[in-house]
């Protein structure tokens, strides 16, 4: 009696195992060709770790310059292919609700550049779609010349690039926005006006002293008519008009060079 019961129990156990195996998700042992085909975050993390291991192995192998030129080029191409694939898996992980590994890697790269570590163990060119050279691939024929030409091209500045970085500040179009220049100009204008006024007073005093000398009545009157082109009131009026000033009427600078009229010029010629 015990034998049939044992057989039945064994068959029941097999049936339960088969049912449980049908309900559990099957873990694929092969990485999908496209990252979009993965539907589980844990699987995407696992495939990303696998790609990182393959990249590490490839970088360690490419450090050997004795592999030969063709083997090094093929290995460098495989590493770049894996780097692009890792980028797509990072995007897929973000879509599935995981961390943004692309952002983290970019921050680490900027941190290394700020510390003076340019690119680490790889070198790349701008505009090459992210293609980089690792290990012994940097010493391949033609690669050094390629980077030398690119460096010379970057150091050479073109006229268009120079004009590109010229701002309105270069032409002084926004010098008066902060108000500092206006204050300096106002102060300089006041000092200039005071100096002109002092010089004019000294000149008039000198002319009046010449008129008081004996035998200089006619010449003094001629000199007075010759130089008295502008009175103090006319000087103040011309300064109030604001012509030639920077800040308008209050900052107008009067010209200290007297311009003779036509009648005065004719009288001087006749004399």
């Amino acid at each position: 009696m015990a034998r049939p019961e044992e057989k039945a129990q064994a068959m029941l156990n097999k049936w339960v195992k088969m049912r449980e195996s049908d309900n559990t998700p099957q873990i694929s042992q092969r990485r999908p060709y496209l990252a979009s085909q993965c539907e589980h975050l844990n699987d995407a993390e696992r495939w990303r770790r696998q790609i990182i291991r393959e990249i590490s192995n490839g970088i360690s192998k490419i450090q050997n310059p004795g592999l030969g030129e063709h083997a090094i080029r093929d290995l460098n191409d495989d590493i770049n292919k894996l780097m692009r694939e890792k980028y797509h898996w990072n995007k897929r992980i973000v879509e599935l609700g995981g961390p943004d590994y692309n952002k983290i890697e970019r921050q680490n790269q900027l941190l290394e550049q700020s510390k003076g570590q340019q690119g680490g163990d790889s070198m790349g060119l701008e505009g090459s779609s992210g293609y980089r050279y690792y290990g012994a691939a940097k010493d391949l024929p033609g690669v050094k010349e390629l980077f030398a030409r690119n460096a010379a091209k970057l150091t050479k500045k073109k006229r268009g690039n120079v004009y590109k970085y010229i701002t309105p500040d270069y032409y002084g179009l926004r010098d008066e926005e902060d108000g500092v220049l206006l204050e300096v100009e106002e102060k300089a204008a006041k000092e200039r006006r005071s100096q002109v006024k002092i010089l004019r007073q000294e000149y008039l005093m000198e002319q009046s002293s010449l008129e008081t000398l004996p035998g200089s009545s006619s010449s003094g009157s001629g000199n007075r008519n010759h130089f008295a082109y502008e009175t103090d009131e006319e000087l103040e009026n011309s300064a109030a008009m604001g012509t030639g000033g920077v800040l308008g009427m209050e900052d107008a600078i009067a010209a200290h060079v007297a311009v003779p009229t036509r009648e005065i010029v004719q009288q001087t010629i006749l004399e």
Side-chain angles (χ1 to χ4, degrees):
M1 294 294 294
R3 187 67 179 172
E5 291 179 359
E6 292 177 357
K7 289 182 178 180
Q9 187 67 29
M11 293 187 65
L12 179 61
N13 293 336
K14 290 181 181 180
W15 181 80
V16 171
K17 288 182 179 180
M18 290 176 61
R19 188 182 64 178
E20 291 178 353
S21 62
D22 293 338
N23 292 334
T24 55
Q26 298 293 330
I27 300 176
S28 176
Q29 300 298 326
R30 186 175 179 180
R31 187 168 68 237
Y33 181 74
L34 297 176
S36 58
Q37 296 177 355
C38 181
E39 300 295 338
H40 300 281
L41 179 60
N42 294 332
D43 294 341
E45 294 273 3
R46 182 162 59 91
W47 299 133
R48 179 182 178 274
R49 290 192 296 269
Q50 182 182 2
I51 293 173
I52 291 175
R53 286 194 297 269
E54 293 177 3
I55 292 173
S56 301
N57 294 332
I59 291 176
S60 61
K61 290 179 182 178
I62 204 173
Q63 303 298 328
N64 183 14
L67 295 176
E69 179 181 351
H70 297 288
I72 292 174
R73 290 185 184 275
D74 294 339
L75 189 56
N76 194 76
D77 292 339
D78 294 338
I79 294 174
N80 282 276
K81 181 180 178 181
L82 290 172
M83 293 294 289
R84 289 194 299 269
E85 189 174 356
K86 180 171 71 70
Y87 172 78
H88 292 296
W89 279 104
N90 291 341
K91 290 180 62 178
R92 184 57 180 169
I93 289 173
V94 174
E95 294 174 357
L96 294 175
D100 191 355
Y101 288 107
N102 288 328
K103 184 178 180 181
I104 297 172
E105 292 173 0
R106 180 59 179 169
Q107 291 177 353
N108 295 334
Q109 184 179 0
L110 294 175
L111 183 61
E112 291 178 358
Q113 291 180 0
S114 63
K115 292 181 179 180
Q117 302 175 2
Q118 298 293 333
D121 192 40
S122 62
M123 297 173 60
L125 294 174
E126 295 183 359
S128 59
S129 301
Y131 191 89
R132 305 189 69 87
Y133 296 89
Y134 299 87
K138 294 183 289 186
D139 300 328
L140 291 174
V143 177
K144 287 186 176 180
E145 292 79 3
L146 181 63
F147 280 98
R149 289 196 302 269
N150 184 66
K153 188 183 299 183
L154 292 177
T155 54
K156 184 178 179 181
K157 293 184 178 179
K158 297 181 179 179
R159 185 182 297 271
N161 294 332
V162 174
Y163 290 149
K164 188 186 300 182
Y165 298 103
I166 292 178
T167 60
D169 297 331
Y170 176 79
Y171 300 100
L173 299 179
R174 295 187 296 200
D175 293 342
E176 301 178 356
E177 290 184 355
D178 54 356
V180 178
L181 183 61
L182 298 178
E183 294 179 0
V184 175
E185 289 180 349
E186 183 178 1
K187 183 178 179 181
K190 289 181 179 179
E191 293 177 356
R192 183 61 179 170
R193 285 198 300 270
S194 62
Q195 292 176 1
V196 170
K197 190 174 182 180
I198 293 171
L199 293 174
R200 182 176 178 81
Q201 291 177 356
E202 293 177 354
Y203 176 75
L204 293 176
M205 291 176 63
E206 182 180 356
Q207 293 300 318
S208 62
S209 62
L210 291 175
E211 291 177 0
T212 56
L213 293 176
S216 61
S217 60
S218 61
S219 62
S221 62
N223 291 332
R224 185 176 181 181
N225 294 330
H226 182 73
F227 290 101
Y229 305 174
E230 192 177 47
T231 62
D232 294 338
E233 296 179 357
E234 292 176 352
L235 177 62
E236 293 177 358
N237 293 333
S238 63
M241 291 176 63
T243 57
V246 179
L247 300 179
M249 297 193 311
E250 296 180 358
D251 197 29
I253 302 175
H256 62 278
V257 179
V259 179
T261 61
R262 182 179 298 178
E263 291 79 5
I264 296 175
V265 172
Q266 293 177 358
Q267 183 180 358
T268 305
I269 293 174
L270 294 176
E271 289 178 356

